[in-house]
Amino acid sequence: MKEAVSLKLLLVCTANVCRSPMAEFAVRHVLRKRDLRAQVSSAGVEAVPDEPAHPMSIDAAAKAGLGDLSTHRSRLLSKLTLHEADFVLCMESHHRQAIIARAPQHAGRVRLLGHWQAIEIADPVSGPAEGFEQCLELMNDCIEQWVDRLARQGLLQ
């Protein structure tokens, strides 16, 4: 039996209702598929607490087989949440800048989710349902790369 790994991953976007909740569920899905362990959560740099996930995020996650995102409630990023995270993966560089401005001591563990592809994950909120699905596919590619690298480094078991 595997021991629980204490690695804590935090996914961050703006409002914590579209990208970061989908990414949180996608990371959990990839970890389950590979029989790996980590604590995964999400937050938003400008989130209004306790808001539900965007309906199109819920639909995209369900269509991708990630589970029921309707249970998600938004959470505002706090210094405590940052302090508890081992890695913070954000969607856009302005999220990273906002995080570092709030907690410069954590700059070394804050990266873009699209770091390995040198991309940012654009917000699909004002677009069609297909935009949410494409966003999730792009995040999945990035998540696979992160999980590969973290597992190779022995940080996920």
Side-chain angles (χ1 to χ4, degrees), residues 31-146:
L31 293 173
R32 272 192 308 274
K33 248 182 12 183
R34 297 185 185 197
D35 196 26
L36 297 169
R37 306 280 178 263
Q39 293 180 32
V40 186
S41 61
S42 64
V45 294
E46 297 174 16
V48 174
D50 208 35
E51 291 291 314
H54 191 286
M56 288 192 226
S57 289
I58 294 170
D59 291 345
K63 189 174 180 180
L66 302 181
D68 184 5
L69 202 56
S70 69
T71 60
H72 172 81
R73 292 297 174 263
S74 61
R75 179 170 71 144
L76 181 63
L77 183 66
S78 69
K79 287 186 179 180
L80 177 61
T81 306
L82 283 172
H83 177 73
E84 292 175 341
D86 295 310
F87 286 98
V88 180
L89 302 176
C90 45
M91 304 299 148
E92 297 179 76
S93 56
H94 71 89
H95 298 135
R96 186 173 189 276
Q97 293 163 358
I99 293 166
I100 292 169
R102 290 180 192 178
Q105 69 274 23
H106 299 302
R109 51 188 153 152
V110 180
R111 296 282 181 264
L112 289 175
L113 180 61
H115 175 79
W116 304 113
Q117 294 184 32
I119 59 169
E120 296 187 18
I121 310 294
D123 195 345
V125 74
S126 58
E130 295 79 24
F132 284 77
E133 293 167 13
Q134 292 167 353
C135 177
L136 183 53
E137 287 175 21
L138 181 58
M139 289 191 298
N140 270 325
D141 291 343
C142 297
I143 288 164
E144 291 281 354
Q145 290 178 324
W146 273 105

